[in-house]
């Protein structure tokens, strides 16, 4: 049983990583195909959908899996049937209500976001809410049987179809000369179909279970079970929605600030597309950093449950060390190579200053994600959620102030500052409860090595005119610079004695070389 659970959890982790990578990388070809305005519409609208989806879905799979696992332990199949049936009704209800609210208020929501051009995309993507919550019920059902494979496979199916259709629809609509507004709405169909196919896959698996053939007894436990599910899922939902709120704040406040700054209509969508370039790069860094680090969080919980305080501290310190090792050089490298990366990936040099600032914020974003995960690992999930909510308030204030003063550059500065504040707050409270060593000479050495590396790979670009360079040339330059930069960085770490056999054995790829 233990081996099966470990294997299933590993499969789920790999699938989640693959889904996140796909969800991060596809924005680059989307921008190449349809342009910055369509990317801007997508980036503006999607946080609204994600908040609604989180409210409709988050917590339900975990609540169902927990209750079903308890019922299985008692051998109560009838209870499992009731839990599944009640969950389906609740999920469908939440999805329908969320869809109707977004549809009913689509005009004012679109005006707040970026103007009427965002409304078609908003309406189309909100249709996914009629499918996704019900799909989450099936995932929770299988997780209750400690079978993570259906959830993992359904995630990959959903993301592959979603991303594939977004790009295919974008190509077709661009070739047929549809407007940016129409393309923004059309590409959102991928989300609906991806969720629907994933639901069909899960339904087919469910049809093969013994529970499917069991009829639910009408014993008056419907509302009682519903209250139990809500009692478990609502706190989880509150915790899950916090990060989504940060992106929603941007979608609401940045267009408003840009209007005050002097922009209007399509210009706002275009500028938000430029902003979205930086966000795409940040997501890529964050995904890779969290994929290495976050699997260590359950180990922290285990150490804490064993009352191994020294082991907990050591594990937290090692986790932060790994994040610094990945995120600091990535941030400096992205800033140093902003021009060739912007040209190579996004076709031109527009908004390079904004992209550079947001790229540097990837350091604090990765550390914030880590800090929130560690707080969950030490049983302080509610505190982590409150810290994010505080960050949402600070983001509101900074966006209104800085975007009004400096336009899109102000939005980028606001993002960097907010994630820096969140990182520092997380570190303070983690230190307060664990007294881990949050500062060391190794962190300074990593920063120095990253700064030197960044300066060296930036220096040649100061003599080049990227405006005259082709995209292929820019990508080739960036690729060579990355290889050189990685070599310089790790060479400096060895010289500064930051890396040794013990901590190198924790780093993926390097640990295999050492063995």
């Amino acid at each position: 049983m233990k081996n099966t659970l470990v294997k299933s959890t590993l499969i789920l982790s790999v699938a989640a990583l693959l889904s996140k990578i796909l969800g991060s990388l596809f924005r680059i070809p989307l921008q190449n195909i349809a342009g910055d305005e369509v990317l801007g519409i997508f980036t503006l609208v999607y946080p609204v959908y994600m908040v609604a989806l989180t409210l409709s879905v988050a917590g339900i799979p975990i609540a169902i899996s927990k209750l079903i696992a308890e019922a299985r332990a008692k051998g109560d199949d009838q209870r499992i049937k009731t839990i599944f049936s009640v969950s389906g009704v609740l999920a469908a209800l939440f999805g329908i209500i969320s869809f109707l609210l977004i549809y009913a208020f689509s005009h004012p929501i679109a005006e707040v976001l970026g103007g009427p051009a965002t409304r078609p995309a908003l309406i189309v993507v909100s249709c996914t809410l009629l499918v996704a919550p019900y799909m989450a019920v099936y995932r929770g059902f299988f997780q209750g049987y400690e079978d993570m494979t259906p959830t993992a496979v359904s995630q990959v199916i959903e993301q592959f179809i979603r991303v594939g259709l977004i790009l295919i629809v974008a190509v077709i609509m661009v070739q047929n000369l549809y407007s940016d507004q129409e393309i923004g709405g059309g590409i959102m169909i991928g989300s609906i179909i991806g969720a629907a196919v994933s639901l069909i896959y899960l339904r087919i698996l469910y049809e093969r279970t013994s529970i499917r053939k069991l009829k639910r007894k009408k014993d008056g436990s419907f509302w009682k079970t519903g209250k139990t599910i809500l009692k478990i899922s609502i706190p989880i939902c509150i915790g899950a929605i916090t990060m989504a709120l940060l992106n929603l704040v941007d979608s609401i406040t940045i267009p408003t600030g840009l209007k005050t700054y002097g922009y209007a209509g399509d210009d706002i969508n275009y500028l938000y597309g430029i902003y979205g370039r930086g966000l795409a790069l940040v997501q890529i860094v964050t995904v890779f950093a969290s994929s290495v680090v976050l699997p260590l969080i359950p180990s922290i919980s285990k150490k804490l449950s064993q009352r191994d305080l020294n082991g907990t501290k050591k594990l937290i310190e090692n986790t932060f060390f790994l994040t610094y090792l990945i995120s600091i050089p990535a941030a400096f490298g992205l800033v140093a190579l902003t021009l060739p990366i912007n040209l190579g990936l996004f076709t031109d040099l527009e908004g390079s200053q904004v992209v550079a600032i947001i790229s540097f914020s990837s350091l604090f974003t990765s550390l914030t994600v880590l800090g929130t995960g560690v707080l969950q690992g030490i049983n302080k999930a509610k505190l982590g959620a409150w810290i994010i909510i505080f960050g949402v308030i600070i983001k509101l204030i900074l966006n209104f102030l800085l975007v009004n003063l400096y336009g899109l550059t102000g939005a980028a500065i606001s993002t960097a500052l907010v994630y820096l504040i969140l990182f520092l707050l997380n570190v303070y409270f983690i230190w307060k409860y664990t007294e881990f060593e949050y500062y060391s000479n190794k962190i300074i050495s990593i920063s120095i090595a990253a700064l030197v590396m960044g300066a060296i790979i930036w220096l040649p670009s100061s003599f080049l005119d990227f405006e005259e360079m082709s995209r292929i040339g820019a990508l080739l330059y960036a690729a060579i610079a990355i290889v050189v930069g990685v070599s310089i960085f790790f060479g400096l770490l060895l010289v500064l004695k930051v890396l040794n056999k013990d901590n190198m054995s924790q780093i993926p790829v390097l640990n295999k070389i050492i063995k």
Side-chain angles (χ1 to χ4, degrees):
M1 179 66 72
K2 184 177 179 181
N3 289 335
T4 302
L5 182 58
V6 170
K7 182 181 177 182
S8 296
T9 304
L10 179 62
I11 291 170
L12 187 58
S13 299
V14 171
L17 173 60
L18 182 59
S19 298
K20 287 178 181 178
I21 292 172
L22 284 170
S24 301
L25 291 178
F26 86 93
R27 295 174 187 237
I28 296 170
L30 174 62
Q31 185 273 347
N32 289 187
I33 295 165
D36 287 301
E37 188 170 338
V38 172
L39 177 62
I41 291 171
F42 180 91
T43 310
L44 280 165
V45 167
Y46 216 70
V48 179
Y49 162 71
M50 285 306 299
V51 168
L53 180 64
T54 304
L55 288 172
S56 304
V57 172
I60 287 182
I62 296 175
I64 298 169
S65 62
K66 182 177 184 298
L67 294 173
I68 286 178
E70 292 173 355
R72 280 181 60 226
K74 298 176 183 177
D76 191 346
D77 286 350
Q78 187 61 54
R79 173 68 175 160
I80 294 173
K81 183 69 175 182
T82 301
I83 293 166
F84 180 80
S85 301
V86 174
S87 300
V89 173
L90 288 175
L93 190 62
F94 289 154
I96 292 169
I97 291 172
S98 298
F99 166 73
L100 291 175
L101 285 172
I102 291 177
Y103 184 81
F105 294 98
S106 59
H107 281 291
I109 293 173
E111 286 297 330
V112 170
L113 294 179
T118 61
R119 185 170 179 262
L122 184 66
I123 292 174
V124 174
V125 77
S126 66
C127 292
T128 314
L129 296 168
L130 300 174
V131 181
Y134 198 57
M135 175 181 63
V137 172
Y138 286 93
R139 289 177 176 173
F141 172 82
F142 288 110
Q143 289 171 26
Y145 282 84
E146 297 180 353
D147 185 1
M148 307 298 177
T149 303
T151 296
V153 174
S154 69
Q155 284 179 345
V156 174
I157 290 173
E158 180 186 4
Q159 198 69 283
F160 260 109
I161 292 176
R162 172 178 166 267
V163 169
L165 284 177
I166 283 175
L167 298 180
I168 291 169
V169 171
V171 169
I172 293 171
M173 296 189 77
V174 168
Q175 288 178 344
N176 287 277
L177 303 179
Y178 283 88
S179 68
D180 291 332
Q181 177 177 336
E182 291 169 327
I183 296 171
I187 61 175
M188 294 299 186
I189 293 173
S191 296
I192 305 171
I193 297 177
V197 174
S198 179
L199 173 59
I200 291 169
Y201 163 76
L202 291 167
R203 178 69 190 186
I204 291 171
L205 293 183
Y206 175 73
E207 288 288 339
R208 299 172 183 172
T209 65
S210 59
I211 298 298
R212 166 69 182 89
K213 300 173 183 177
L214 191 67
K215 291 186 177 180
R216 187 179 72 84
K217 294 180 180 178
K218 296 181 180 180
D219 54 2
S221 63
F222 186 92
W223 294 113
K224 184 179 178 181
T225 303
K227 288 179 182 178
T228 304
I229 293 170
L230 291 176
K231 187 177 179 180
I232 297 172
S233 63
I234 288 175
I236 298 169
C237 176
I238 293 170
I241 200 175
T242 50
M243 289 299 286
L245 285 175
L246 281 170
N247 293 325
L248 181 61
V249 167
D250 276 348
S251 291
I252 294 172
T253 58
I254 291 177
T256 303
L258 290 174
K259 288 176 185 176
T260 305
Y261 193 72
Y263 294 103
D266 293 342
D267 288 339
I268 292 175
N269 296 331
Y270 170 76
L271 288 170
Y272 209 84
I274 299 293
Y275 185 73
R277 296 184 184 189
L279 295 182
L281 296 176
V282 168
Q283 279 193 334
I284 293 169
V285 174
T286 306
V287 164
F288 280 101
S290 60
S291 67
V292 173
V293 175
L294 292 185
L296 298 174
I297 302 301
S299 302
I300 293 174
S301 300
K302 184 178 179 181
K303 290 282 185 185
L304 197 63
S305 65
Q306 294 171 344
R307 300 187 182 277
D308 183 359
L309 297 182
N310 287 330
T312 302
K313 286 168 56 177
K314 187 67 176 175
L315 195 54
I316 292 173
E317 289 164 6
N318 289 337
T319 305
F320 269 94
F321 172 78
L322 279 176
T323 309
Y324 289 130
L325 200 60
I326 297 169
S327 301
I328 293 177
F332 279 101
L334 283 174
V335 172
L337 299 175
T338 295
L339 292 177
I341 288 175
N342 199 15
L343 174 60
L345 295 182
F346 300 108
T347 73
D348 57 42
L349 298 173
E350 286 294 317
S352 291
Q353 182 182 28
V354 172
V355 173
I357 296 170
I358 298 175
S359 295
F360 189 74
S361 74
S362 64
L363 168 59
F364 308 125
T365 306
S366 298
L367 290 167
T368 297
V369 172
L370 166 65
T372 303
V374 172
L375 285 171
Q376 292 171 351
I378 61 174
N379 300 320
K380 298 294 177 184
K382 288 184 180 179
L383 174 60
W386 280 113
I387 291 172
I388 298 293
I389 289 172
F390 174 74
V392 168
I393 297 170
I394 297 298
K395 193 84 168 71
L396 275 167
I397 296 170
L398 287 178
N399 276 3
F400 278 122
L401 291 175
L402 297 178
V403 178
N404 288 344
L405 290 173
Y406 306 111
L408 201 61
T409 302
I413 295 170
S414 169
T415 296
L417 287 175
V418 166
Y419 280 107
L420 171 60
I421 292 169
L422 291 175
F423 157 60
L424 293 174
L425 285 172
N426 282 341
V427 167
Y428 168 75
F429 283 105
I430 293 169
W431 170 81
K432 180 180 177 181
Y433 291 108
T434 66
E435 296 183 353
F436 84 110
E437 188 179 90
Y438 60 87
Y439 168 83
S440 69
N441 291 330
K442 287 183 178 179
I443 298 172
I444 296 177
S445 297
I446 290 172
S447 301
I448 292 172
L451 183 59
V452 172
M453 175 270 295
I456 292 173
I457 63 175
W458 168 82
L459 191 59
S461 66
S462 64
F463 299 101
L464 296 173
D465 185 1
F466 285 101
E467 290 184 354
E468 300 298 324
M469 188 178 289
S470 67
R471 287 187 67 190
I472 294 176
L475 286 172
L476 184 61
Y477 175 86
I480 294 171
I482 289 170
V483 173
V484 172
V486 170
S487 302
I488 292 171
F489 177 68
F490 279 101
L492 287 171
L493 292 186
L494 291 172
V495 171
L496 296 170
K497 297 181 179 179
V498 174
L499 291 180
N500 53 50
K501 190 173 182 179
D502 289 336
N503 54 37
M504 286 174 70
S505 64
Q506 302 170 37
I507 304 170
V509 181
L510 281 183
N511 57 4
K512 294 181 179 179
I513 295 173
I514 292 170
K515 289 179 181 178

